[in-house]
Structure formats: C-alpha cells, structure tokens
Amino acid sequence: MSIQLVTQSVGDALVTSLRERILADEITAGTAVTEASVATEYKVARQTAKAAIERLVGEGLLERTAHRSARVPMLDEARVRDLYFARGVIEVRAYELLAGRRLLTPEALTAHEAFRECSTTSDVAALVQADVAFHRALIDSLESDRLSRAHSVIINEIRLCLAQVQNAHLLAPAEIAEEHQTIITAIRDGDVPGAGQVGLEHLEHAERNLLAHLCG
C-alpha cells in the first residue's frame, strides 16, 4: 500500500505525514522507522527518506542509537518525569516573569484562541501542535533566543507525552484550554506567584495522569 502526500515539497510532506502518524500512535513506541521501509511505503528516494528521519530525530519524535535504526521513543516513568521536570524549570519561571511585566503578546493570545478552537477536534496531531504553539508563544514573548531554543528542544520531545494524553483520553482538550486560561489570567493580573503556581499545576496534572496510565 502506498500513502499519498499532500502538495508540499516531497521532503516536507513526508516529515508531516510521519510526524502525524507518530503522534496519532499509528507508528507505535518502539517501532523501527528505516530508510528502506519509508522509501518503499511512500515511494520516495532513499535519500529523501533518510532526510525526513533525521529531521524527526532532531525533533525528538524518533531516536537513534549506535548501529540501530531510528525508533519511536518508549515513554517510561523516568523519561516522563525528566521531561516534565525540565519543562517546568523553564515554563514556571517564564510565567512568573511574564506576570511581573503583565506581558501578553498578540501572538500568545492568538495561540490561546487557536487551541480553544482546536479543542473540539479529534485530530491528535492538530491538538498537540496547537498546545505546543501556545506554550511556545508565551516563552517567545520574553524575547530571549537562547531561552526559546532551550524550550524548543524540550517541548518538541514532550509532544509524545501530549499525544499519549490525548490518545488515551487522559485529559479533555476543553479542560486543558481552561488551564491555559488560568495562566493567561494570572499573567494579565500581574499575579507573579499565582502565574507560577497555575503553570506548575498545569504540568503536574498532565504528568500525574500520564504516569498513572503508564504505570497502572
């Protein structure tokens, strides 16, 4: 069976399709994603398949160890805890800084509304993208290139966690949207400790539900 790609550059379309399938759990954790299998399935050149795989490795949606094919990372307790720990170190402090300045950019507010609109869909990849875009917009509001790059590395990899939360129906998108609203409100009100607290609770809620699912 061959899979048709939407009209983009072939490389970009291939990355988009593989990304969506990983996030939708169609390519499951632990599955090897090889140049040969991708080239055959999508009817593309091996070099195109290799480039797509490397891009997804860079995004944290695939991982490669020495002398082994790229695979979808397995989510275990240690990985989940470390991802949410690293994310919290950046995001909680960032929300406090934003609240101290009462800084809400148009981009952050637009991303918040976009997630609200997306929260009625069952498209996991779209939900994850909208969720990531909201948090990225808040971090980018601080206008620190280095901070944004550090956050991008973590939030890219944590997309696997966000997707699992949706695939397993652990948190309703509407509930996530309301938690995003509490962050927005605290920042708008200039509530520095409150912004950090609701940001932390938002992360802990998802982490707790995901760990219960994985370890249950």
Side-chain angles (χ1 to χ4, degrees):
M1 180 186 73
S2 63
I3 298 175
Q4 298 300 312
L5 299 174
V6 297
T7 303
Q8 298 175 334
S9 74
V10 173
D12 287 345
L14 179 57
V15 170
T16 297
S17 179
L18 289 170
R19 183 190 296 119
E20 288 176 350
R21 291 175 65 199
I22 291 168
L23 293 176
D25 211 24
E26 292 175 14
I27 303 176
T28 57
T31 299
V33 180
T34 67
E35 295 168 23
S37 65
V38 170
T40 299
E41 188 174 14
Y42 285 91
K43 298 190 181 305
V44 297
R46 286 281 293 263
Q47 190 60 33
T48 302
K50 178 180 179 181
I53 289 169
E54 291 306 319
R55 279 178 61 182
L56 292 169
V57 169
E59 291 183 12
L61 294 181
L62 292 174
E63 63 182 4
R64 191 197 298 277
T65 54
H67 311 300
R68 295 194 66 186
S69 300
R71 294 176 183 272
V72 179
M74 298 287 291
L75 285 180
D76 57 20
E77 181 178 359
R79 183 187 290 266
V80 170
R81 288 190 185 281
D82 190 50
L83 280 170
Y84 276 97
F85 167 73
R87 184 182 175 189
V89 167
I90 292 177
E91 289 190 6
V92 171
R93 180 57 179 149
Y95 301 156
E96 291 173 345
L97 291 170
L98 290 170
R101 304 176 193 179
R102 295 179 182 246
L103 177 57
L104 282 172
T105 63
E107 291 79 8
L109 294 173
T110 297
H112 175 49
E113 290 306 315
F115 183 83
R116 277 196 181 280
E117 293 175 8
C118 196
S119 65
T120 59
T121 183
S122 58
D123 185 338
V124 170
L127 277 167
V128 169
Q129 178 58 30
D131 196 351
V132 166
F134 169 70
H135 291 286
R136 275 183 171 161
L138 287 174
I139 298 300
D140 289 347
S141 300
L142 292 169
E143 298 184 326
S144 167
D145 290 342
R146 290 171 180 79
L147 183 64
S148 290
R149 285 201 301 270
H151 182 256
S152 181
V153 169
I154 296 165
I155 201 72
N156 270 336
E157 189 174 353
I158 213 165
R159 284 182 295 178
L160 291 168
C161 298
L162 302 177
Q164 187 69 283
V165 166
Q166 291 306 314
N167 287 320
H169 307 291
L170 304 179
L171 276 175
E175 188 175 3
I176 296 171
E178 288 307 310
E179 292 181 1
H180 288 176
Q181 181 61 57
T182 64
I183 296 170
I184 290 287
T185 300
I187 293 171
R188 180 181 289 123
D189 292 346
D191 182 358
V192 174
Q197 184 61 35
V198 295
L200 180 60
E201 289 172 356
H202 174 57
L203 298 183
E204 288 179 339
H205 190 190
E207 179 186 10
R208 185 168 58 250
N209 285 16
L210 181 54
L211 287 175
H213 172 70
L214 293 175
C215 302

